[in-house]
Amino acid sequence: MSLRPTLDFLLYHWLDAESLNQRPRFADHSRETFDAVFDTCERIAREKYAPFNRTVDTQEPHFDGEKVILPQATHDAQKAYAESGMLSAAQDYEIGGMQLPYTVEAAANAFFAMASVSIGSGLLTTGNANLLMVHGTDMQKNVFARNEFSGRFSGTMCLSEPQAGSSLSDVTTRAVPDGDGFEADPLGSRYRLKGNKMWISAGEHELTENIIHLVLAKIPGPDGKLIAGTRGISLFIVPKKMVNTRGELTGVRNDVALAGLNHKLGWRGTTNTLLNFGEGKYPVDGQAGAVGYLVGKPHEGLRCMFHMMNEARIGVGTAATMLGIAGYYASLDYAKNRPQGRPVGVGGKDAAQPQIRIIEHADVKRMLLAQKAYCEGALALELYCARLVDEHHTADAQAADDARLLLEVLTPIAKSWPSEWCLEANSLAIQVHGGYGYTRDFLVEQYWRDNRLNMIHEGTHGIQAMDLLGRKVLMEGGRGLQLLAARINATIEKAIQLPEFAVHANALGKALQRVGSATKAAWATGEPGEALANAVPYMQAFGHTVLAWLWLDVALASLSLPQDAPHAGRIGAMRYFYHYELPKIDAWLRVVETRDLTCADLPEEAF
Ligand SMILES: Cc1cc2nc3c(=O)[nH]c(=O)nc-3n(C[C@H](O)[C@H](O)[C@H](O)COP(=O)(O)OP(=O)(O)OC[C@H]3O[C@@H](n4cnc5c(N)ncnc54)[C@H](O)[C@@H]3O)c2cc1C
């Protein structure tokens, strides 16, 4: 099955992505140029990614004592990706970018995530370089970011430490000025870093000439102690190999050493590393300590990092979505071809009758429609959020500000909803395959394993939920929630006019009211311990309400198209969501509204 018709419908018909060409930044673009990007990405994904998805899973990265070895297919895929220009898709023409809207960039990257998520399509490198384009000096942009955009260097994000994952305020990597005149280095104020960074994706490999680590570390205060909390965190560029101001390798290795590779459940095509910074394995100028160049101002490292969080989280949500879609397509194909059993009812037990294909069983159809509703709904969510990124960057001031705030509220959902429900879709894809789904002869088990990561990284499910209920829905006097409610109400007003949709419009209206009242009830005592005890059920209900809204909106858009099979599929998925999914919010919100402390209050010994 091809993703393209679904993508085209959502992008062009539902979201009217073509109208972005009216913005001066995208004026040179047209549907033709967008389609050309999709054609290229679809082809590279088909030729260089999909055939090797199993290869990168079975040939895990390994360390030969000197180098980390990856399959040749990974080298070829990443080379093709870099040559396509996608690493700098959104950047200005002057630096070799394509000046593409983010909506189009995100959609184009979906092809790679579906074909082989873990070969990696350079999102880390792009995110790293994009950050430097905003917060770096001109020299840092030229030496590091531009070489990342060209594919010569690759990038990482080094936030987590063995003892500091969700709680970044507890990082202990230390950065001290590198001698007198440390501020005069043309590459940026020069520091020496010491510490351990855990879980670093793409932290070591031979895919590129150099690896540019962006590292969070603390500069000690005047008393020599690390400043407690996030306030003390600064951001540094730490190249694996030292470079000069022309971006050439100097031949000196920086003091960053691979301490070990993590062996993962899935996503095995990307190395995951424990890195030791500054342990003295590779002394620079005879001295232990990894050389790092400050980005932005001291103590503002997290603020710089957060600049790219929205896009990184849309990237995670899109990866989860595409793994879900890959499993849906695989199980749909399987269900159409697997004969098993006979229809229920009269004659169903007659073994003389031919068997039917499992797609003819109601329960298998239920599992397929659930996958379609989860995954195509999630794709709509990601594209909608990507479009908000473009609004934020290029719309007029008021619309841009609304988009910013809406994104604040929707980003935890964009990251977490697909991570949970497209993973559930992968589980259903295995179920549709029966016993075969539980073997390595079919890809669905790998999709599930690959997808299991997404609820963990880029802020765990629990952390995203606390961000939503503890911060996002409250910020700026709750204006983000009001903006979202206004958009949902606009869809309700349209849908309520149509007899076949009125019942769904009413259900959505009730769900929206309930989310609003649950938000207030959660905070009625003003006690974070009570309000946030059920943050995850709150996020689940919030997410389901958002998805119900998007499905109704998508169904409305579909009405103006021919009433063909894809249209019937969209209406079916929308109905599935209202009949089988939206009612779940009742149970989720009940514990939120009553500030149920069943879990929170249970003493540790009782577990
Ligand atoms: C494959 C992989 C790739 C990764 N890539 C990178 C990378 O490139 N760069 C990078 O910096 N990091 C990376 N990470 C790290 C990832 O972001 C962390 O694993 C994640 O933030 C969770 O931290 P932790 O593993 O220490 O778990 P913990 O923070 O110890 O969390 C364990 C559990 O406790 C819960 N919990 C923790 N604190 C709270 C709280 N205050 N309230 C309620 N619940 C809480 C969490 O939700 C979770 O369920 C990667 C991780 C993996 C597995």
Side-chain angles (χ1 to χ4, degrees):
M1 258 187 88
S2 167
L3 170 68
R4 200 64 184 268
T6 304
L7 199 63
D8 283 350
F9 165 78
L10 288 174
L11 261 187
Y12 294 125
H13 188 72
W14 178 56
L15 277 181
D16 192 18
E18 232 179 315
S19 65
L20 284 165
N21 309 341
Q22 288 153 20
R23 308 269 161 85
R25 178 163 180 82
F26 309 127
D28 291 344
H29 284 295
S30 61
R31 177 157 180 175
E32 283 67 40
T33 61
F34 295 162
D35 281 347
V37 172
F38 295 145
D39 290 344
T40 304
C41 291
E42 199 176 9
R43 180 182 51 75
I44 297 173
R46 188 176 57 243
E47 292 172 0
K48 303 282 184 190
Y49 282 68
F52 307 104
N53 192 37
R54 194 53 119 183
T55 309
V56 299
D57 185 58
T58 51
Q59 294 178 27
E60 260 189 281
H62 69 275
F63 185 55
D64 70 358
E66 216 178 295
K67 290 178 176 158
V68 170
I69 310 294
L70 288 161
Q72 183 57 40
T74 307
H75 291 255
D76 297 342
Q78 296 215 359
K79 184 164 176 280
Y81 185 84
E83 284 170 1
S84 75
M86 282 300 290
L87 287 166
S88 57
Q91 290 298 322
D92 296 353
Y93 295 129
E94 291 89 85
I95 68 148
M98 291 194 259
Q99 245 170 263
L100 275 182
Y102 178 67
T103 313
V104 175
E105 181 187 355
N109 276 319
F111 292 106
F112 301 102
M114 189 168 90
S116 180
V117 78
S118 77
I119 287 184
S121 51
L123 292 188
L124 270 171
T125 298
T126 302
N128 175 311
N130 284 350
L131 183 152
L132 291 177
M133 292 306 287
V134 177
H135 297 288
T137 61
D138 285 347
M139 179 66 85
Q140 289 174 338
K141 289 178 196 170
N142 280 332
V143 170
F144 300 109
R146 291 181 80 145
N147 280 311
E148 291 186 74
F149 287 136
S150 73
R152 198 180 144 222
F153 299 167
S154 55
T156 73
M157 295 288 172
C158 302
L159 289 74
S160 309
E161 297 181 1
Q163 82 298 342
S166 301
S167 179
L168 286 176
S169 55
D170 293 304
V171 300
T172 56
T173 297
R174 171 183 280 263
V176 295
D178 190 18
D180 292 340
F182 74 99
E183 284 171 308
D185 195 300
L187 292 176
S189 293
R190 186 173 145 133
Y191 287 73
R192 291 286 185 145
L193 277 71
K194 286 190 184 171
N196 314 106
K197 290 287 175 183
M198 181 56 163
W199 305 119
I200 306 311
S201 296
E204 182 59 71
H205 54 73
E206 302 294 320
L207 293 165
T208 48
E209 252 182 75
N210 204 356
I211 302 176
I212 309 305
H213 303 291
L214 279 181
V215 184
L216 290 183
K218 288 187 173 178
I219 303 171
D223 59 356
K225 290 194 185 136
L226 295 184
I227 300 168
T230 51
R231 219 167 30 88
I233 299 177
S234 305
L235 180 65
F236 300 88
I237 298 167
V238 182
K240 172 181 161 184
K241 298 173 184 169
M242 303 297 289
V243 297
N244 62 23
T245 53
R246 289 186 302 280
E248 296 155 348
L249 303 188
T250 62
V252 175
R253 173 83 198 245
N254 201 359
D255 197 8
V256 185
L258 177 71
L261 292 176
N262 292 310
H263 299 285
K264 293 174 286 175
L265 176 72
W267 213 290
R268 292 180 178 161
T270 306
T271 51
N272 191 272
T273 57
L274 171 60
L275 297 178
N276 288 349
F277 288 82
E279 65 174 1
K281 185 165 181 186
Y282 304 105
V284 181
D285 299 332
Q287 211 187 315
V291 172
Y293 307 101
L294 183 71
V295 180
K297 297 202 177 83
H299 311 307
E300 291 193 358
L302 262 194
R303 196 180 64 79
C304 296
M305 271 288 177
F306 275 116
H307 174 87
M308 50 154 300
M309 286 299 181
N310 285 343
E311 289 174 38
R313 286 173 179 168
I314 293 171
V316 170
T318 306
T321 301
M322 299 321 297
L323 282 162
I325 290 185
Y328 168 49
Y329 289 173
S331 61
L332 180 58
D333 185 51
Y334 185 83
K336 284 179 178 170
N337 290 295
R338 167 78 172 165
Q340 197 71 196
R342 293 173 179 77
V344 288
V346 184
K349 295 245 162 26
D350 181 359
Q353 295 297 316
Q355 297 203 81
I356 58 172
R357 293 160 311 124
I358 61 171
I359 195 169
E360 296 175 68
H361 296 301
D363 190 53
V364 174
K365 284 186 163 176
R366 177 188 63 80
M367 293 191 279
L368 292 170
L369 193 51
Q371 290 179 66
K372 183 177 170 71
Y374 292 149
C375 302
E376 292 182 4
L379 185 58
L381 168 69
E382 299 308 326
L383 294 174
Y384 189 86
C385 290
R387 174 84 210 236
L388 286 177
V389 172
D390 285 320
E391 294 300 309
H392 175 35
H393 291 152
T394 61
D396 63 58
Q398 184 58 52
D401 194 55
D402 287 355
R404 170 194 64 78
L405 196 52
L406 259 175
L407 258 181
E408 292 280 8
V409 174
L410 284 176
T411 299
I413 304 299
K415 191 271 170 183
S416 297
W417 198 89
S419 300
E420 180 170 5
W421 299 99
C422 298
L423 179 70
E424 175 60 17
N426 285 152
S427 180
L428 290 170
I430 294 173
Q431 195 69 18
V432 169
H433 281 72
Y436 297 95
Y438 197 63
T439 69
R440 305 199 75 189
D441 298 327
F442 289 82
L443 274 171
V444 284
E445 61 84 30
Q446 186 187 337
Y447 295 142
W448 186 88
R449 284 187 292 107
D450 286 347
N451 218 348
R452 191 61 190 81
L453 171 63
N454 290 315
M455 282 174 79
I456 298 172
H457 69 159
E458 276 294 334
T460 63
H461 223 49
I463 296 296
Q464 295 292 340
M466 290 200 299
D467 184 42
L468 178 68
L469 180 55
R471 207 165 70 85
K472 297 296 180 63
V473 295
L474 307 178
M475 67 196 287
E476 300 183 29
R479 196 168 72 83
L481 197 52
Q482 286 160 15
L483 280 171
L484 179 64
R487 296 206 179 189
I488 295 178
N489 280 322
T491 302
I492 291 174
E493 274 165 33
K494 275 190 239 157
I496 212 148
Q497 320 285 337
L498 306 170
E500 71 271 36
F501 286 179
V503 61
H504 306 315
N506 282 321
L508 181 58
K510 283 201 185 100
L512 180 60
Q513 267 178 358
R514 186 95 191 268
V515 168
S517 61
T519 311
K520 287 199 190 94
W523 283 107
T525 59
E527 282 293 328
E530 290 186 10
L532 300 179
N534 295 298
V536 166
Y538 176 82
M539 182 170 73
Q540 288 171 310
F542 196 108
H544 262 50
T545 303
V546 168
L547 265 288
W549 159 51
L550 293 175
W551 264 120
L552 194 57
D553 209 62
V554 163
L556 280 169
S558 189
L559 287 178
S560 60
L561 290 177
Q563 314 282 290
D564 54 9
H567 171 77
R570 288 190 281 268
I571 300 297
M574 182 273 286
R575 286 213 177 104
Y576 170 87
F577 208 86
Y578 277 84
H579 294 179
Y580 292 75
E581 296 293 330
L582 192 60
K584 290 177 182 170
I585 74 166
D586 190 43
W588 286 323
L589 288 180
R590 201 166 311 141
V591 291
V592 177
E593 288 158 349
T594 56
R595 297 183 302 283
D596 190 312
L597 297 180
T598 306
C599 307
D601 277 354
L602 194 68
E604 211 169 305
E605 316 81 66
F607 282 93

